[in-house]
Amino acid sequence: MIIDCHGHYTTAPGAHQKFRDAQIAALKDPTAPAAKPGAISDDEIRETIEKNQLRLQQQRGSDLTLFSPRASAMGHHLGTEAISSAWTRANNDLIKRVVDLYPENFVGVCQLPQSPGVPIAHSVAELERCVRELDFVGCNLNPDPSGGHWTSAPLTDRHWYPFYEKLVELDVPAMIHVSASCNPNFHATGAHYINADTTAFMQFIEGDLFGDFPTLRFIIPHGGGAVPYHWGRYRGLADMLKRPALEEHVMKNVFFDTCVYHQPGIDLLVRVIDIGNILFGSEMVGAVRGIDPHTGHYFDDTRRYIDALSLAAAEKQRIYEKNARRVFPRLDALLKARGL
Amino acid sequence: MIIDCHGHYTTAPGAHQKFRDAQIAALKDPTAPAAKPGAISDDEIRETIEKNQLRLQQQRGSDLTLFSPRASAMGHHLGTEAISSAWTRANNDLIKRVVDLYPENFVGVCQLPQSPGVPIAHSVAELERCVRELDFVGCNLNPDPSGGHWTSAPLTDRHWYPFYEKLVELDVPAMIHVSASCNPNFHATGAHYINADTTAFMQFIEGDLFGDFPTLRFIIPHGGGAVPYHWGRYRGLADMLKRPALEEHVMKNVFFDTCVYHQPGIDLLVRVIDIGNILFGSEMVGAVRGIDPHTGHYFDDTRRYIDALSLAAAEKQRIYEKNARRVFPRLDALLKARGL
């Protein structure tokens, strides 16, 4: 079984974006009535999924995608907490509808109603709703709701603890995933995403978060940002900061996905990072949608890179399935209940 | 000949830091007299260099280091433009003294008197002084003088053009190098440095800077940040943004150093990046000062990783010497004048 731990609904029906556009337009016109989610039919959902993520899932031979709202559209920096909450709820409800239409192909992961300067504790209720009522198995946590201005406290700060307590209680992991950038220095998918991944990892080295939360689990997407390429730097910095070795200090709790869009990158990832810390992911249809002229295949068809590794089948199965079932225990329970 | 393109005077004598401390203390006390650089004897310089950079140069078998002021201490975000100017001048003058004491071992690269919100054109005079009067061969350009708040325009913005015009006129390259971070999210050497490298590269993809300045040259340090590891992502993003292939669009003007502190990272670098774009660098004595327990050698002894590559000697010589002489023509001229 092949589980893709990183997929977003980047192809949601037009009415969904229309709702968002109306929300944003209303920010400039306080007399406008509050925007409301428009009607979306099951057929519209089917069309956007079957032509895109489901088609590619089948073409590429993966079985199930952990599916969350479009990351770049979370836009936590836009508007107020109320705006973020309404948009988040609409997004998560839409994911739930996808999952209900294709329960064998998609399992839900939620967006959070974060907003700059708002305590993360305010996101606990939506997490709980998504996990307990909608059967979602994880969430995307934005370490920078300001969208590229980085005005929040580091992820190791006690500010975030009420949320971590709930993650631990529910036994769900968080993928650390920023959204769009409103800082012109940072291209969203080419700089902000990768920088956030790198930043989060270094915060974990500096702090002792997993001393306080030994069972807390994070996925750092996009192959861990710059971290595996600079693994020597991070091992060396941990040493200079008098922290334990990374295997003990961070890597019992942090996992990297395989959203690295060329063979040499994936080769490096499995060379330096323990197989137990690598989860298959593609983020399709996502940041990079084209075909690599060097290979003739989609850049984000990451299964090809894993298949090409000279690893034993059992090791590949850890990347494809077993690690995900361990990191997402609610996914494992759900699959076991289906006899899988 | 082995040229290390990336070394900082991280071990400057105490009086130098004392001057900086006095500058910073005076920020809080406007009645305090302006701080002035303290006296530093040649013997003090000799001691700090011979025990550190020169000793390691000899131990590791490199010949010459392009030497610039300590990057993390540039601190452009601290105080006013006048403070930054005085500190920058003292730093560059100190580098000149090192070079004069050890002309065969060190060649100067300057810091710039950048300050948040101040036009980069104000840095032209110090660049010109260092190149024309002090015989420096390059400079370090900080893309984020705010120290982790990223309040400047992207490097492709016309704001930077007056400085680029001078770089082109003098025929010197710039290493893109941030300084310390005053944003608690970003550890300086573990996040801010690497993020800045990645950010700059993506800015170059988005823009068309080298259309305007075909001979402008940048070194992106720390192995190009996350870029080589995500080379497929960047090739794919260039394609999505309808830019030419990276080889044409960016890589005629951008070079990566080898400050990647483990063998697998260096292996990846030379696998995906053209040898002509790689300059030997170690950044010693710098961010990571310890010994790698896996190898028994210093993390930043990057020569070992290059030596271990299965590359022809002529290819290694490009990394060690020839590329640097091409990217730094004033270095080449200086070496040729010495019969080297």
Side-chain angles (χ1 to χ4, degrees):
Chain A
M1 178 172 204
I2 297 186
I3 299 166
D4 185 337
C5 78
H6 190 176
H8 303 295
Y9 196 4
T10 48
T11 57
H16 190 57
Q17 186 57 44
K18 234 173 165 175
F19 163 49
R20 182 58 166 172
D21 292 343
Q23 266 199 332
I24 292 168
L27 293 175
K28 289 176 190 156
D29 176 9
T31 65
K36 290 216 172 111
I40 296 171
S41 69
D42 283 356
D43 279 348
E44 284 176 282
I45 295 176
R46 283 193 195 97
E47 192 181 330
T48 60
I49 291 288
E50 289 181 12
K51 279 194 179 159
N52 296 294
Q53 290 83 359
L54 192 62
R55 176 179 64 85
L56 290 169
Q57 222 184 55
Q58 288 165 347
Q59 269 180 16
R60 300 179 185 181
S62 67
D63 299 293
L64 185 151
T65 300
L66 299 188
F67 207 51
S68 61
R70 183 175 199 167
S72 65
M74 295 190 297
H76 295 121
H77 58 284
L78 293 164
T80 60
E81 183 182 6
I83 297 285
S84 176
S85 286
W87 173 237
T88 297
R89 202 174 167 100
N91 267 300
N92 291 333
D93 288 347
L94 193 58
I95 293 293
K96 172 64 171 164
R97 289 182 64 193
V98 174
V99 171
D100 284 347
L101 287 169
Y102 306 96
E104 292 183 8
N105 304 98
F106 298 97
V107 170
V109 165
C110 67
Q111 173 176 331
L112 298 167
Q114 295 177 251
S115 192
V118 171
I120 190 66
H122 294 204
S123 288
V124 165
E126 180 65 3
L127 174 70
E128 198 142 28
R129 180 182 83 94
C130 290
V131 173
R132 293 202 198 274
E133 296 174 28
L134 310 186
D135 289 325
F136 285 20
V137 301
C139 66
N140 293 331
L141 180 67
N142 185 346
D144 173 30
S146 76
H149 294 293
W150 290 91
T151 52
S152 298
L155 289 169
T156 48
D157 189 276
R158 287 184 173 269
H159 165 83
W160 301 89
Y161 276 29
F163 191 76
Y164 298 155
E165 284 162 11
K166 186 55 70 175
L167 287 176
V168 167
E169 181 196 324
L170 296 170
D171 205 12
V172 295
M175 180 176 277
I176 293 164
H177 206 310
V178 288
S179 184
S181 158
C182 60
N183 185 325
N185 281 288
F186 303 130
H187 184 273
T189 55
H192 192 40
Y193 281 23
I194 306 294
N195 292 350
D197 304 334
T198 309
T199 298
F201 190 83
M202 190 63 212
Q203 291 175 359
F204 296 144
I205 293 180
E206 288 186 88
D208 185 26
L209 183 59
F210 307 117
D212 286 346
F213 295 99
T215 63
L216 184 62
R217 297 178 304 283
F218 293 115
I219 299 102
I220 299 188
H222 322 109
V227 173
Y229 176 48
H230 287 286
W231 195 236
R233 173 174 289 256
Y234 292 103
R235 289 196 290 112
L237 284 170
D239 179 59
M240 280 179 74
L241 294 169
K242 312 232 180 292
R243 296 292 182 276
L246 295 179
E247 292 71 21
E248 285 300 305
H249 184 51
V250 179
M251 298 309 281
K252 288 179 171 173
N253 305 79
V254 169
F255 304 84
F256 299 149
D257 75 13
T258 63
C259 295
V260 177
Y261 297 150
H262 62 152
Q263 190 69 48
I266 293 288
D267 289 353
L268 174 89
L269 175 66
V270 301
R271 185 172 168 196
V272 299
I273 303 299
D274 191 278
I275 295 289
N277 291 88
I278 303 173
L279 273 60
F280 177 68
S282 71
E283 200 169 10
M284 68 86 170
V285 184
V288 178
R289 302 189 180 198
I291 289 175
D292 185 346
H294 294 193
T295 65
H297 300 292
Y298 285 103
F299 281 106
D300 65 1
D301 186 356
T302 52
R303 189 180 160 189
R304 290 183 174 274
Y305 312 132
I306 310 295
D307 281 350
L309 294 170
S310 54
L311 276 184
E315 296 291 273
K316 289 187 188 172
Q317 210 45 39
R318 293 171 73 195
I319 295 174
Y320 279 137
E321 174 185 357
K322 290 196 175 169
N323 294 336
R325 293 177 74 146
R326 185 162 47 88
V327 173
F328 293 86
R330 285 175 180 264
L331 169 66
D332 187 54
L334 187 155
L335 293 173
K336 280 192 176 135
R338 294 178 191 169
L340 295 166
Chain B
M1 178 172 204
I2 296 186
I3 299 166
D4 185 337
C5 78
H6 190 175
H8 303 295
Y9 196 4
T10 48
T11 57
H16 190 58
Q17 186 58 43
K18 233 174 166 175
F19 163 48
R20 182 59 166 171
D21 292 344
Q23 267 199 330
I24 292 167
L27 293 176
K28 290 177 188 154
D29 177 10
T31 65
K36 291 216 172 111
I40 297 172
S41 69
D42 283 355
D43 278 348
E44 284 175 280
I45 295 176
R46 284 193 194 98
E47 191 181 332
T48 60
I49 291 288
E50 289 181 10
K51 278 194 180 159
N52 295 293
Q53 291 84 358
L54 192 63
R55 176 179 64 86
L56 291 169
Q57 222 184 54
Q58 288 164 348
Q59 268 180 16
R60 298 178 185 182
S62 65
D63 299 294
L64 185 152
T65 299
L66 298 188
F67 207 51
S68 61
R70 183 176 198 166
S72 65
M74 296 190 297
H76 294 121
H77 58 283
L78 292 165
T80 60
E81 183 182 5
I83 297 285
S84 176
S85 286
W87 174 235
T88 297
R89 203 175 165 99
N91 268 298
N92 291 333
D93 288 346
L94 194 57
I95 293 293
K96 172 65 173 164
R97 290 182 64 192
V98 173
V99 171
D100 285 346
L101 286 170
Y102 305 96
E104 291 182 9
N105 304 99
F106 298 97
V107 169
V109 164
C110 68
Q111 173 176 331
L112 298 167
Q114 295 177 251
S115 191
V118 171
I120 189 67
H122 294 204
S123 288
V124 165
E126 180 66 4
L127 173 70
E128 198 143 27
R129 180 181 84 93
C130 290
V131 173
R132 293 202 198 272
E133 297 174 27
L134 310 186
D135 289 324
F136 285 19
V137 301
C139 66
N140 293 331
L141 180 66
N142 186 345
D144 174 30
S146 76
H149 294 292
W150 291 92
T151 52
S152 297
L155 289 170
T156 49
D157 189 276
R158 287 184 172 270
H159 166 82
W160 301 90
Y161 276 31
F163 191 76
Y164 299 156
E165 284 161 13
K166 187 55 70 177
L167 288 177
V168 167
E169 180 196 324
L170 296 170
D171 204 13
V172 296
M175 178 174 278
I176 294 165
H177 205 310
V178 290
S179 183
S181 159
C182 60
N183 184 325
N185 281 286
F186 303 131
H187 184 273
T189 54
H192 191 41
Y193 281 22
I194 306 294
N195 292 350
D197 304 335
T198 310
T199 297
F201 190 84
M202 189 63 212
Q203 291 176 0
F204 297 143
I205 294 181
E206 288 186 270
D208 184 25
L209 183 58
F210 307 117
D212 286 345
F213 295 99
T215 62
L216 185 61
R217 297 177 304 283
F218 292 115
I219 299 101
I220 300 187
H222 321 109
V227 172
Y229 176 48
H230 286 287
W231 195 237
R233 171 174 290 256
Y234 292 103
R235 289 197 291 112
L237 284 170
D239 179 59
M240 281 180 74
L241 294 169
K242 312 232 180 292
R243 296 292 182 278
L246 295 180
E247 291 72 20
E248 285 299 307
H249 184 52
V250 179
M251 299 309 281
K252 288 178 172 174
N253 306 79
V254 169
F255 304 83
F256 299 149
D257 74 12
T258 63
C259 296
V260 177
Y261 296 149
H262 62 151
Q263 190 69 49
I266 292 289
D267 290 353
L268 175 89
L269 176 65
V270 301
R271 186 172 166 195
V272 300
I273 303 299
D274 191 278
I275 295 290
N277 292 89
I278 302 173
L279 272 61
F280 177 68
S282 72
E283 201 170 10
M284 66 87 169
V285 183
V288 177
R289 304 190 179 196
I291 289 173
D292 185 345
H294 294 193
T295 65
H297 301 293
Y298 285 103
F299 281 107
D300 65 4
D301 185 358
T302 52
R303 187 179 163 188
R304 291 181 173 275
Y305 312 134
I306 309 294
D307 281 347
L309 293 171
S310 54
L311 277 183
E315 297 291 273
K316 288 186 188 172
Q317 209 44 39
R318 294 171 73 195
I319 296 175
Y320 278 137
E321 175 186 356
K322 291 196 175 169
N323 294 335
R325 293 177 75 147
R326 186 162 45 88
V327 173
F328 293 85
R330 285 176 180 265
L331 169 66
D332 186 53
L334 188 154
L335 293 174
K336 278 192 178 134
R338 295 178 191 167
L340 295 168

